[in-house]
Amino acid sequence: MWRLFMVRDLNYEGEDPSLISKDRRILSQVVPLWRIGHSKAVALWYGNPSRKLKLVGVTGTNGKTTTATLLYELFRKMGYRCGLLSTVCNYINDEAIPTDHTTPKGTIINHLLNKMVKEGCEYVFMECSSHGLVQKRVSGLRFKGAIFTNLTRDHLDFHRTVENYRNAKKSFFDQLSPQAFALVNSDDESSKVMVKDCKATVKTYSLLSEADFTGKILESRHDGMQMEINGQKVDVNLIGRFNASNLLAIYGAAVLLGKKPEDILPVLHELKSVKGRLEPVHSPKGFTAYVDYAHTPDALKNVLTTIHELLGENGRIITVCGAGGNRDKGKRPLMAQVVVQLSDYVVLTSDDPRNEDPQDIINDMLAGLDKVQMEKVTSIIDRKEAIQKACEMARKGDVVLVAGKGHEKRQVIKGVEVYFSDMEVLGEIFSK
């Protein structure tokens, strides 16, 4: 019975039936699922592909996609065959494979890792979400290293408490072997919790204090910044303090994977920002729009603080944002407070309302504001109209931030997916 279940599950995930017959010898070695768990059984089915790769996982509230993706880009530019499992897209070398989840099911993960092995990949970088960790999607995988970026409030609709959310992240570090490394952001207090009782070799990175990998921003520009990393100067094409922290994690991970600083830094200089992460579009009217995935209070604060650092003397910030439906309602008023405090004008709109009434979501956000703050806010349910309104308000030297969806190309309204891209909407508006 359990053997039939495994075969059907693999077929359901899109596996080639011909590969099942080839790997049937592996199936004969697998013990019943109820004894070792589904993900571990699937890993055995595929011959434990993660053990044939140098697999590095990235977890945290913000920065997972940027860190994992740029590690993949770094190693590809250094000449290595690599894989990526990410929110935006999965990759096997240069082959793009669409994804619907930050951390896929264990079946899909092992299927992709197995293909990566066959394609000659040596390194794989993947995002490890709190949902995926709780649901044990990465069970049975052997990690060469793990990175912790930061921890702020998110996904409490699923985890219920911040402590549960933090412990989900910690479980990733608990499972590391003594042969692995754990690289944590010591600027975040939760890093101490992550590595408590961790068996792996623990290393730290920091922009604020002594650590194994230290960095600071020497100069900020619209198109990048100059950083100092472990005493070495490097010009990079990303902006913002949070990206400086991400780049420090990327540098540290590369060193821990055996690469030399003199080989890493020149390639670090070549890296570009990840799609949907502070991605700029320049208007013919003379203002700049940024599309960003920020959808938590802390992420919005980071992005808006970065924009303030780059803003001209007379420039204003106009922010378009909403909050997702059927998710943590407690963060909605907090998000509104952050964007109103750090923006000159705000247009509240729909994100992914899912099965909730969009106006109810906006009302939850407005509940966090006082009468004076409300004067800076306009509410427009239709996201395209909201972006149009923000662009009409903008003038030369201003910045329009369109937050919440980033790279995504869909909205879920009343349970139905409809095509929608913030970047394409901005392109249409600017072309007119």
Side-chain angles (χ1 to χ4, degrees):
M1 180 68 175
W2 60 271
R3 292 187 184 186
L4 178 61
F5 173 79
M6 287 188 67
V7 173
R8 290 185 63 190
D9 188 60
L10 285 166
N11 275 325
Y12 176 76
E13 296 295 350
E15 177 61 285
D16 182 347
S18 66
L19 294 180
I20 295 176
S21 61
K22 293 178 183 179
D23 287 338
R24 201 170 291 279
R25 57 184 177 78
I26 298 172
L27 177 60
S28 66
Q29 302 171 18
V30 180
V31 297
L33 290 178
W34 60 268
R35 292 187 57 185
I36 66 170
H38 178 252
S39 292
K40 288 184 178 180
V42 170
L44 279 170
W45 164 275
Y46 281 106
N48 288 311
S50 65
R51 301 190 179 194
K52 303 165 188 173
L53 300 159
K54 292 173 183 174
L55 176 63
V56 176
V58 185
T59 196
T61 305
N62 302 312
K64 294 189 298 297
T65 300
T66 295
T67 303
T69 303
L70 293 186
L71 269 168
Y72 161 80
E73 295 286 353
L74 178 78
F75 276 73
R76 286 294 286 153
K77 289 178 181 295
M78 293 176 76
Y80 295 98
R81 299 179 73 80
C82 301
L84 173 68
L85 299 174
S86 161
T87 301
V88 177
C89 190
N90 298 326
Y91 280 91
I92 301 177
N93 294 315
D94 291 326
E95 178 191 357
I97 301 170
T99 182
D100 290 324
H101 295 90
T102 297
T103 306
K105 293 180 181 178
T107 311
I108 298 175
I109 292 174
N110 281 280
H111 169 60
L112 290 172
L113 292 179
N114 188 50
K115 289 188 69 175
M116 291 172 188
V117 170
K118 292 178 178 179
E119 292 296 324
C121 293
E122 184 176 352
Y123 298 93
V124 178
F125 306 99
M126 71 176 291
E127 296 183 53
C128 296
S129 68
S130 57
H131 290 71
L133 293 167
V134 167
Q135 294 168 359
K136 301 189 182 302
R137 298 177 195 170
V138 301
S139 295
L141 302 183
R142 184 171 72 181
F143 286 88
K144 177 67 177 174
I147 300 170
F148 169 70
T149 58
N150 50 63
L151 189 97
T152 59
R153 177 184 179 134
D154 202 11
H155 303 304
L156 296 198
D157 55 294
F158 179 80
H159 297 286
R160 301 302 177 192
T161 68
V162 172
E163 183 179 15
N164 289 343
Y165 177 49
R166 184 192 64 199
N167 289 339
K169 303 288 188 186
K170 183 183 185 304
S171 69
F172 181 38
F173 294 87
D174 291 343
Q175 72 182 38
L176 295 174
S177 73
Q179 290 72 45
F181 68 79
L183 178 59
V184 297
N185 179 8
S186 58
D187 294 338
D188 190 297
E189 281 296 316
S190 293
S191 64
K192 297 174 183 176
V193 176
M194 295 298 132
V195 295
K196 185 180 180 181
D197 304 320
C198 177
K199 299 182 184 68
T201 299
V202 176
K203 297 291 183 180
T204 58
Y205 67 95
S206 171
L207 293 173
L208 301 176
S209 59
E210 287 298 315
D212 296 292
F213 303 101
T214 59
K216 60 182 177 181
I217 300 173
L218 301 177
E219 180 187 350
S220 293
R221 305 181 301 272
H222 274 285
D223 60 348
M225 55 189 168
Q226 185 179 74
M227 289 183 65
E228 182 179 279
I229 297 178
N230 276 15
Q232 298 294 314
K233 292 181 181 180
V234 58
D235 286 301
V236 296
N237 298 308
L238 281 73
I239 60 174
R241 190 173 191 82
F242 61 98
N243 271 326
S245 183
N246 293 334
L247 288 166
L248 199 52
I250 291 161
Y251 173 84
V255 170
L256 293 171
L257 287 168
K259 308 309 163 194
K260 297 178 181 179
E262 58 266 30
D263 294 330
I264 301 168
L265 292 173
V267 185
L268 209 63
H269 164 71
E270 298 177 22
L271 299 179
K272 306 290 185 181
S273 59
V274 176
K275 193 171 185 179
R277 270 62 179 176
L278 263 182
E279 188 173 3
V281 193
H282 300 288
S283 163
K285 287 173 60 179
F287 67 86
T288 300
Y290 286 100
V291 172
D292 194 86
Y293 191 56
H295 59 277
T296 67
D298 189 65
L300 286 164
K301 181 180 179 181
N302 287 337
V303 170
L304 287 165
T305 299
T306 296
I307 293 172
H308 269 283
E309 292 171 356
L310 301 172
L311 202 62
E313 185 176 339
N314 298 315
R316 305 170 304 164
I317 299 175
I318 304 165
T319 300
V320 180
C321 80
N326 304 113
R327 296 294 186 267
D328 178 15
K329 294 184 178 182
K331 72 178 183 181
R332 294 173 184 174
L334 303 178
M335 291 170 65
Q337 289 169 12
V338 168
V339 295
V340 168
Q341 288 167 6
L342 295 175
S343 306
D344 294 281
Y345 299 100
V346 175
V347 184
L348 294 182
T349 188
S350 297
D351 189 300
D352 279 324
R354 298 185 176 89
N355 292 312
E356 283 194 69
D357 185 327
Q359 188 60 57
D360 290 342
I361 298 172
I362 291 174
N363 290 343
D364 286 342
M365 298 185 79
L366 292 171
L369 307 177
D370 59 32
K371 289 184 178 180
V372 175
Q373 291 173 319
M374 291 278 284
E375 294 176 2
K376 297 167 66 173
V377 178
T378 299
S379 299
I380 301 175
I381 289 176
D382 185 279
R383 191 173 179 90
K384 184 174 183 178
E385 291 181 15
I387 297 172
Q388 175 79 49
K389 177 65 176 178
C391 291
E392 290 173 356
M393 295 170 66
R395 61 195 184 205
K396 185 176 181 179
D398 288 349
V399 169
V400 172
L401 172 64
V402 183
K405 298 192 64 60
H407 66 283
E408 293 180 345
K409 293 189 176 182
R410 65 175 187 177
Q411 270 191 301
V412 183
I413 302 172
K414 295 182 179 179
V416 178
E417 287 188 14
V418 296
Y419 187 86
F420 192 93
S421 164
D422 286 345
M423 188 62 73
E424 290 181 18
V425 168
L426 285 167
E428 290 174 13
I429 293 170
F430 292 174
S431 68
K432 298 176 182 178

